[in-house]
Amino acid sequence: MSSENKEAAAPSDFIRDIVEKHVAEKKYPQIHTRFPPEPNGYLHIGHAKSICLNFGIAHEFGGICNLRMDDTNPTKEDVEYVDSITEDVNWLISGWASQNLGLKSKGKTPDTSTSNGKPDFHLAPAFGSAAVPAAAASPGPEPSKRDAPETGALLEPFYASDYFDQLYEYAIALIKKGQAYVCDLTPEETDEYRRQAKESPYRNRRVEENLDLFTRMKNGEFPDGKRSLRAKIDVTSPNVWMRDPLLYRIRHAEHHHTGPKWCIYPMYDFAHCLSDYIEGITHSICTLEFEVHRPLYDWILENLDLPRPLPHQYEFARLSLGYTVMSKRKLMQLVNENLVSGWDDPRLPTISGIRRRGVTPEALRNFAYNIGITKYNGITDVAVLEHAIRDDLNKRALRRLAVLRSIKVVLTNYPEGKIEELDAINNPEDPAAGTRKVPFSRELYIEQDDFREVPPPKFFRLKPGGEVRLKYAYIIKCDEVIKDAGGRIVELRCTADLDSKMGGATANRKVKGTIHWVSAAHAIDAECRLYDRLFTEAEPEKDGRDFKTVLNPHSLEVVTAKCEPSLKDARPELRYQFARLAYFALDKDSTPGKLVLNRTITLKDTWAKDARKG
Ligand code: ATP
Ligand code: MG
């Protein structure tokens, strides 16, 4: 594989400008970001944008970034998702920002030098931990047993649920200050009261009563929905999030990480800002829909009288990509209704699907860097992603000869039993990749598309009576078309110009077309899965349409390709270009006895061509 693939230069945007200013001012001892997914599904390419932003900032400014499971809702979350998220983040940052990953381990001190010479490991919790009320007496996140890895191997993520004890103590602190109360309205009533800017009749409960009821909520005395803890802020605020929002609710449910310990769970808004604080996050970066939550984020931190500095929230526009759907809820629908083969179906925009398809982390990071960070929501053209993938694969892919839909060619003037080993270039972009031998013989396969009995104008491939060059080999001429009883073409009888091979007398003779081929006797079969866009429309949900009505029925086609024999040694970490066709990567279903390859992307943008054709 080529080592020439360069990482895109660090971009500049409004968030990085802010961070840069803070670094210059020495506002914080160290920049500390986090990526906080909820483990309620697999990560998608939108999350990749956020991962590249948060880890990118840590990487560029000598900081650290925590991977934190935002796991406050026990009924929707699962360890399967925790594991897949950890794997996906690790895959995306490995060898790039893995040295900037926040560590829970307090064991061995890892290598502290980075390319920019700044320290890059930091042991969380940072300054935030000092501020936990004494009563909490919680040790904070469990120190990891694992040592820091040599080269960014899998590390344990942080969990918001590890802070449940501390969060509970923070809630008690707010109650004691008269800034939180236990409310007996039902969830529906609470919503209605907040909509109408009405005070709850329980708003003015005494502190002692609130403390007693909250303790009993925690002890499991009440059923789900019976009571809640709410912040006492301002029910008439123009920002509904400030209208006495819920801080805790009752959920008698086991949690994937804390087990049966809790039956009250903190709400996102309460848990998130405090988790940021506990971990010493300086820049809490999230998508635009959280902008309206920011006053609440600040209110909670400020009203707990925590030692400064406090983390600050910054918002950017989420990624929306053409020809796909993004939210975990919708992706789950596709998975659960068997419209795709699983979360890692190569047609999905999930990180695991994209990885399985054969896209490299470098390509995904370059894409994330290229699209930039703004404050404006919009749809990114999928061509931008496809360009990043082609650009990356062009540099690294090993070229191979393979025929996806074959038609037999017999060279009538080529000796039977003769085999030539021809030299073929592995990667014209990377001379170090060298050459290999490809066997040539009397019977070959070529692509059905490379022959036309009745050719359209300017068809420079093979036609009756016409000539074409076989890549790395001879010029051939089609003399005869053999058909079966049904009129289907089964074989082409051709003659080769036996002097036209490289070094031969007629080697420089010009013919307009060059096509690829495989020696029939030497060909090995491979199942090739040809993927296309999952939807036929750029905006599957436009005007409220059900996205399932515009699924592309041709998003997967499976063919048995005839491949040059060297592909029997295909390796999962390598990428291949089938000459003139597409890029391929080995699928996890591949076995030594049966090759299975995924088409990552075609060489050219066939959609743009089709669109031009109208
Ligand atoms: P989804 O709707 O897909 O479930 P989410 O926002 O609920 O997305 P989280 O697990 O909460 O998913 O997201 C973790 C982080 O990733 C958050 O900071 C969120 O803002 C960010 N994120 C989620 N979707 C996108 C996206 N499309 N583009 C950029 N960042 C995103
Ligand atoms: Mg969500």
Side-chain angles (χ1 to χ4, degrees), residues 110-309:
D111 176 16
T112 52
S113 60
T114 53
S115 49
N116 53 18
K118 294 176 194 162
D120 53 18
F121 275 106
H122 171 102
L123 305 172
F127 48 78
S129 59
V132 179
S138 154
E142 279 280 302
S144 163
K145 305 282 179 299
R146 275 180 260 169
D147 278 342
E150 298 290 305
T151 50
L154 210 61
L155 279 164
E156 270 188 284
F158 293 77
Y159 294 86
S161 57
D162 276 336
Y163 314 139
F164 281 172
D165 286 300
Q166 285 146 288
L167 297 179
Y168 180 78
E169 293 304 330
Y170 282 129
I172 297 279
L174 276 184
I175 295 173
K176 284 185 177 162
K177 290 182 71 196
Q179 287 177 304
Y181 61 95
V182 173
C183 181
D184 298 0
L185 293 178
T186 64
E188 296 75 26
E189 287 167 339
T190 309
D191 285 349
E192 193 50 34
Y193 273 57
R194 291 181 71 200
R195 236 189 320 273
Q196 295 179 17
K198 252 170 66 179
E199 281 195 5
S200 160
Y202 307 98
R203 195 171 199 264
N204 294 314
R205 273 182 162 146
R206 287 178 306 109
V207 168
E208 293 70 33
E209 190 182 0
N210 283 321
L211 284 175
D212 173 60
L213 286 172
F214 188 53
T215 309
R216 291 167 59 195
M217 274 169 66
K218 180 193 177 218
N219 292 342
E221 288 187 30
F222 312 119
D224 288 5
K226 180 78 182 162
R227 292 198 157 93
S228 64
L229 185 72
R230 295 176 64 181
K232 194 169 180 177
I233 307 180
D234 176 7
V235 293
T236 63
S237 170
N239 180 345
V240 284
W241 296 102
M242 297 297 275
R243 295 182 186 171
D244 288 12
L246 257 64
L247 301 181
Y248 267 91
R249 61 182 169 183
I250 303 173
R251 276 271 185 289
H252 289 272
E254 283 228 2
H255 187 280
H256 65 91
H257 191 62
T258 58
K261 180 173 176 188
W262 295 89
C263 65
I264 54 170
Y265 289 93
M267 303 300 291
Y268 168 86
D269 283 309
F270 188 63
H272 199 85
C273 56
L274 287 167
S275 301
D276 283 347
Y277 183 75
I278 290 166
E279 290 177 13
I281 302 303
T282 55
H283 297 76
S284 177
I285 303 167
C286 58
T287 35
L288 281 179
E289 67 275 18
F290 291 101
E291 196 164 13
V292 285
H293 296 239
R294 185 166 10 110
L296 178 55
Y297 184 102
D298 292 339
W299 185 93
I300 292 168
L301 296 178
E302 278 162 14
N303 283 279
L304 280 166
D305 298 325
L306 302 168
R308 311 294 146 129

Side-chain angles (χ1 to χ4, degrees), residues 34-51 53-54 68 70 85 268 272 284-290 316-321 326-331 371 373 377:
R34 87 284 172 268
F35 172 65
E38 183 182 357
N40 61 350
Y42 281 56
L43 297 182
H44 51 62
I45 191 169
H47 295 114
K49 176 179 179 180
S50 180
I51 294 166
L53 176 61
N54 281 293
R68 182 203 309 148
D70 212 336
I85 288 170
Y268 168 86
H272 199 85
S284 177
I285 303 167
C286 58
T287 35
L288 281 179
E289 67 275 18
F290 291 101
F316 70 100
R318 62 172 44 235
L319 170 69
S320 302
L321 197 60
M326 202 80 96
S327 102
K328 283 180 256 168
R329 188 175 51 78
K330 291 167 198 159
L331 297 174
I371 55 177
I373 300 297
N377 282 320

Side-chain angles (χ1 to χ4, degrees), residues 320-338:
S320 302
L321 197 60
Y323 294 96
T324 194
V325 293
M326 202 80 96
S327 102
K328 283 180 256 168
R329 188 175 51 78
K330 291 167 198 159
L331 297 174
M332 187 172 295
Q333 233 176 306
L334 292 168
V335 173
N336 289 346
E337 294 177 30
N338 295 319

Side-chain angles (χ1 to χ4, degrees), residues 128 136 138 150 192 236 398 403 466 545 558 579 598:
S138 154
E150 298 290 305
E192 193 50 34
T236 63
L398 294 173
V403 173
R545 169 173 59 202
V558 181
N598 294 320

